[in-house]
Amino acid sequence: MRNTFGNVFTLTTFGESHGPAVGGVVDGMPAGICIDTDFIQNELNRRRPGQSTITTARQEADQVELLSGVFEGRSTGCPIGFIVRNQNQHSQDYENLRTLFRPSHADFTYQSKYGNRDHRGGGRSSARITLSRVVAGALAKMTLKEYDISVQAYTSQVGHIALERDYRRYNLEQTETNAVRCPDPEKAAQMEQLIQEVKAQGDTIGGVITCVVKGCPTGLGEPEFDKLHAALGHAMLSINAVKGFEYGEGFSGVGQRGSEQNDVFKPAKAADANGNQAITTATNHSGGIQGGISNGQDIYFRVAFKPVATLLREQETVDLEGNATTFTAHGRHDPCVLPRAVPVVEAMAAMTVLDYLLLSKMSKN
């Protein structure tokens, strides 16, 4: 089982949903970066359960403990180990699932691959494991800040309620002003109402998260198998419940002609710090990446999340022997994963961009 992400900046995760703790080890963190523990904790607070009525009621402080790699407030360049202790597990809620395969969960595939599984909240396949990604993503964000690179994600669709695809239409600073993490207050209210209605029916609903990376320099990514957009797609598709990834115009651009899609090059109006006149594009249908390599424009992409697979209503399934049966899930679950997944998308994007930035610097040395 591979549990490590990245090439130079890497994250290795460990732990289970109902074990003593979840944690990770970050390697490749540049030395001398100011480590803001309050920022790391705030990122975890954005992901933690129990933060609103439209998320799971599980109550976890999700207090991070940094174990190594930081001295006098700065990264040492050594591996940064951390843990977040689990404190509010209700393992008994899952006892009726010990011998059952839940529809659209990893129960059957884990059992088939490993010959055993942790039925308590999915164990290793639980979305709770993503908190390790958020910690590592916070470290990556702090490093990217040194290069004036920012990563911002937001909920752009829940069910049939969707924002305009152009992220420039919105003030992304409004994202954290509501429980849904949507920069449009009116649409956010509609999304929250829809989630509440679905929750009352014991059902779930999915949607889309949009992410924007600003300040990314040109030249990140490789021309063949390690294209930057391929790495971002790999990162996003590794997140629980993700079913789709598109960057730039994506699927919506296939109905247009090349004359409509081409990003025409334009000289910049002002020279850069070195006196060179930077080249830019009149449009950005490419999503900041061309030929697998960043072109200096904003990188933007969309990530589709399926409805959460756990329903608080009776469902049909089979047991370990393949016998037909029914069951009703118990416990505390998200009716919609998107609000808590926004910081996870940001984290994976930040780690990917930083990893490729460090790879680029290595290749130039």
Side-chain angles (χ1 to χ4, degrees), residues 95-108:
E95 191 56 35
N96 68 323
L97 305 177
R98 181 182 290 272
T99 60
L100 303 179
F101 294 131
R102 294 171 297 170
S104 290
H105 280 79
D107 299 347
F108 175 73

Side-chain angles (χ1 to χ4, degrees), residues 88-119:
N88 191 230
Q89 311 98 310
H90 287 182
S91 299
Q92 67 277 7
D93 290 341
Y94 298 88
E95 191 56 35
N96 68 323
L97 305 177
R98 181 182 290 272
T99 60
L100 303 179
F101 294 131
R102 294 171 297 170
S104 290
H105 280 79
D107 299 347
F108 175 73
T109 50
Y110 267 54
Q111 186 76 35
S112 299
K113 182 175 178 65
Y114 300 109
N116 62 75
R117 63 185 174 87
D118 187 344
H119 66 282

